[in-house]
Amino acid sequence: MPELTYRLPPTFTSVAEERRHRKERLAAAFRLFAKFGFEEGVAGHITARDPELADHFWVNPFAMSFAHVRVSDLILVSDTGEVVEGTHPVNAAAFAIHSQIHAARPDVIAAAHSHSVHGKALSALGQLLEPITQDACAFYRDHGLFDDYTGVVVEAEEGKRIAHALADHKAVILRNHGLLTVGESVDSAAWWFITMERSCQAQLLAKAAGRVVHIEPEQAALTHSQVGHDFVGWLSFQPLYDRIVREQPDLLD
Ligand SMILES: [Zn+2]
């Protein structure tokens, strides 16, 4: 019998190597978000905590298309909102929201937010994702609702309240706004966003079509334990990463 090789998260021998890896995953996540149609003008941001300066994060430049982001375009933002590496400005909302989430959740390496259509449609109902499909169970009792829309987020205080609504979950639905997901890697944060958006779409479709059958709480909890792990999120991102790098190798520039 041949020996099978399974994909596992990488380990690193230097901070520089780990930083480069996170930035490559981040640039790839933007290209994938563009491909999935998650872009809405200048809205949306994915952040990756720096492996050395733990209160700094890497993020997309303000007003650059997700479809164009390369590793060399990413900017490093300090805990006070200053761009300390790169020549582009940072989106004020990206700093207000993500700085508070990275501060509140030391386990979170990356956070993703955009105004994807089905996420914002479900958010307008002020409802949570329901356990109506196997995939949606990744979020069963594992996402919050930020039930308090007060305009574009520019104050750190509001970012704090979003972090509070996220609590120890992997995602939060921002009412009248959209989705936000987090992960222990860029890979998992991006994957949770992609699959959450699709689960929002499935819920809206199913409920528009008729009366949905819910998965029983016990089975939903079991399924969450099977498909809701951060490792599953990481693993699910790998085929997408391979695909986007093969299609758009310039993202690594
Ligand atoms: Zn937003």
Side-chain angles (χ1 to χ4, degrees):
M1 292 287 277
E3 201 176 319
L4 304 180
T5 49
Y6 291 93
R7 298 184 81 152
L8 290 170
T11 52
F12 305 97
T13 55
S14 72
V15 163
E17 200 187 328
E18 186 165 19
R19 180 178 292 124
R20 173 72 199 183
H21 178 84
R22 282 189 195 176
K23 290 170 72 177
E24 288 176 354
R25 300 287 151 151
L26 192 53
F30 285 114
R31 298 294 181 99
L32 286 162
F33 274 35
K35 206 175 175 67
F36 280 109
F38 297 166
E39 225 175 347
E40 182 85 19
V42 299
H45 6 90
I46 314 173
T47 51
R49 191 191 294 280
D50 186 75
E52 185 176 22
L53 309 164
D55 57 0
H56 288 44
F57 58 76
W58 295 92
V59 66
N60 49 316
F62 182 53
M64 178 183 287
S65 172
F66 290 177
H68 294 163
V69 174
R70 299 166 301 176
V71 168
S72 55
D73 293 317
L74 297 168
I75 56 174
L76 181 64
V77 178
S78 77
D79 59 330
T80 57
E82 229 180 307
V83 175
V84 295
E85 255 194 78
T87 53
H88 298 276
V90 61
N91 182 331
F95 176 70
I97 300 173
H98 293 247
S99 64
Q100 298 307 315
I101 285 168
H102 283 287
R105 288 279 301 271
D107 60 312
V108 162
I109 296 300
H113 165 67
S114 89
H115 297 183
S116 56
V117 172
H118 303 95
K120 69 182 162 187
L122 191 74
S123 86
L125 302 174
Q127 293 176 1
L128 289 171
L129 272 179
E130 296 170 21
I132 60 170
T133 64
Q134 178 171 304
D135 295 332
C137 287
F139 301 93
Y140 184 64
R141 293 180 184 154
D142 198 9
H143 66 300
L145 176 65
F146 181 63
D147 197 11
D148 182 18
Y149 183 78
T150 57
V152 175
V153 182
V154 286
E155 299 293 338
E157 198 46 48
E158 187 159 12
K160 257 193 192 107
R161 294 193 298 118
I162 291 172
H164 186 258
L166 171 68
D168 60 352
H169 302 314
K170 64 161 67 78
V172 59
I173 295 175
L174 313 175
R175 177 165 61 73
N176 305 112
H177 186 172
L179 309 177
L180 187 145
T181 59
V182 298
E184 293 169 23
S185 63
V186 172
D187 310 56
S188 60
W191 171 255
W192 295 137
F193 192 96
I194 291 164
T195 190
M196 190 179 197
E197 160 66 17
R198 292 162 72 91
S199 285
C200 290
Q201 183 176 12
Q203 181 166 318
L204 292 164
L205 277 172
K207 288 187 141 189
R211 204 173 70 81
V212 301
V213 178
H214 285 80
I215 297 169
E216 293 295 332
E218 197 183 323
Q219 275 71 47
L222 171 68
T223 309
H224 175 265
S225 75
Q226 295 164 330
V227 304
H229 271 294
D230 197 81
F231 172 72
V232 177
W234 177 87
L235 187 61
S236 301
F237 185 77
Q238 303 315 306
L240 296 183
Y241 180 81
D242 295 346
R243 176 177 158 189
I244 202 71
V245 168
R246 189 176 295 193
E247 280 178 17
Q248 303 178 21
D250 69 298
L251 75 88
L252 297 175
D253 290 352

